[in-house]
Amino acid sequence: MSAANEAAGRPLALVTGASSGIGRELARLCAAEGFDLVIAADEPEIEAAAAELRRSGVSVDALETDLSSVEGVDTLLAALAGRPVDSLFANAGRALGHAFLDQDFTEARHVLDTNLTGTLYLIHQVGRDMRRRGTGRILITGSIAGFVPGPFMAVYNGTKAFLNSFAFALRNELKDSGVTVSCLMPGATDTEVFARADMLDTAIGQAPKDDAAEVARVGFEAVMQGKGDVVSGWKNKLASALANVTPAPILAEQNRKLAEPGSA
């Protein structure tokens, strides 16, 4: 830890996917609560996010790196320079629309590697250090999409199903360690994800969405309180409850109507 950080005595938060959307809002909340920050994304807008966050008076290190690869995550870990992470916000993620067999597999693989490979590797490395120290908080951004088979979003929904399940399992493994694991499960949120996923011509792409700042607030409060999981918004709470009792073929057909290209 740098001399400045030692003097301030501030905790350190690591936030991925912090250039925009929920990740940027999580970083803002961390800064407002007095966390120093290491933020990362796979796009140059991360520097603008860092400049804004520094105005809060906290230390902010920003890194543009490929969060879908082990090598990119290693670059992020090296940027920590040995500083212990008090709170990890594993938020980086990608989505992709259209039918699976019509997708470019390189793009589908990028969704898999960003949402799963890079995320799990980061949690594995940071989580080990937290367990060794006997303290730490981890927030994983899952989704209510993980409760639903997702035609025209099949890879994305599958990764979120994995993350939702993984978060509960890891929380149980660490229950006596001093490290807490929380899972934020938002619904459709007003971020750039639908444009990037080429889904603006879909019903879900055109529908009203939840505010990213409010979603982040719910997740931030959950991780600070050590809660296991939180679904943001009452409509999403209802949807997730119904998904648990609705047959999968019906859920798949409902999602098709929302995500099929040209359904808007």
Side-chain angles (χ1 to χ4, degrees):
M1 181 180 292
S2 69
N5 283 355
E6 287 177 346
R10 289 191 290 258
L12 181 68
L14 172 57
V15 187
T16 63
S19 58
S20 63
I22 296 171
R24 189 160 182 169
E25 297 295 342
L26 285 169
R28 285 171 175 155
L29 290 165
C30 289
E33 289 295 317
F35 283 84
D36 283 336
L37 283 157
V38 174
I39 60 174
D42 60 2
E43 54 192 9
E45 287 80 4
I46 194 67
E47 294 295 341
E52 175 205 323
L53 293 164
R54 291 186 185 110
R55 292 197 286 271
S56 299
V58 299
S59 172
V60 182
D61 293 328
L63 184 68
E64 181 186 351
T65 188
D66 181 5
L67 294 169
S68 72
S69 71
V70 169
E71 294 78 13
V73 173
D74 276 336
T75 300
L76 173 57
L77 294 169
L80 292 172
R83 291 172 290 175
V85 175
D86 296 278
S87 296
L88 169 62
F89 296 84
N91 171 76
R94 290 285 178 183
L96 187 62
H98 296 272
F100 173 65
L101 296 183
D102 295 331
Q103 293 171 348
D104 180 285
F105 189 74
T106 300
E107 294 181 2
R109 173 71 183 270
H110 187 63
V111 173
L112 284 167
D113 285 341
T114 302
N115 296 6
L116 299 182
T117 304
T119 296
L120 266 61
Y121 179 59
L122 178 62
I123 293 169
H124 190 263
Q125 298 301 300
V126 174
R128 278 185 165 186
D129 185 64
M130 287 179 171
R131 185 181 63 179
R132 179 186 60 78
R133 292 184 288 114
T135 184
R137 301 183 182 94
I138 299 171
L139 179 70
I140 299 170
T141 301
S143 175
I144 66 166
F147 299 125
V148 179
F152 303 101
M153 297 180 68
V155 173
Y156 173 79
N157 283 38
T159 64
K160 292 302 182 177
F162 182 105
L163 288 174
N164 291 353
S165 175
F166 173 80
F168 282 107
L170 184 61
R171 179 179 176 85
N172 181 268
E173 290 179 0
L174 294 173
K175 65 180 182 178
D176 299 319
S177 69
V179 180
T180 61
V181 179
S182 306
C183 186
L184 172 61
M185 294 178 282
T189 304
D190 188 13
T191 69
E192 298 175 12
V193 66
F194 293 99
R196 291 173 177 169
D198 191 20
M199 295 184 65
L200 293 182
D201 65 339
T202 65
I204 193 170
Q206 292 293 317
K209 298 174 182 62
D210 296 333
D211 178 62
E214 176 60 18
V215 171
R217 183 193 64 79
V218 170
F220 185 82
E221 291 179 355
V223 74
M224 290 299 109
Q225 296 167 12
K227 293 182 179 179
D229 65 291
V230 59
V231 176
S232 58
W234 69 268
K235 290 183 179 178
N236 297 323
K237 287 180 169 58
L238 177 60
S240 62
L242 290 174
N244 287 324
V245 296
T246 304
I250 295 176
L251 293 172
E253 188 61 31
Q254 290 172 345
N255 194 91
R256 181 189 188 102
K257 294 174 182 177
L258 293 172
E260 187 170 10
S263 60

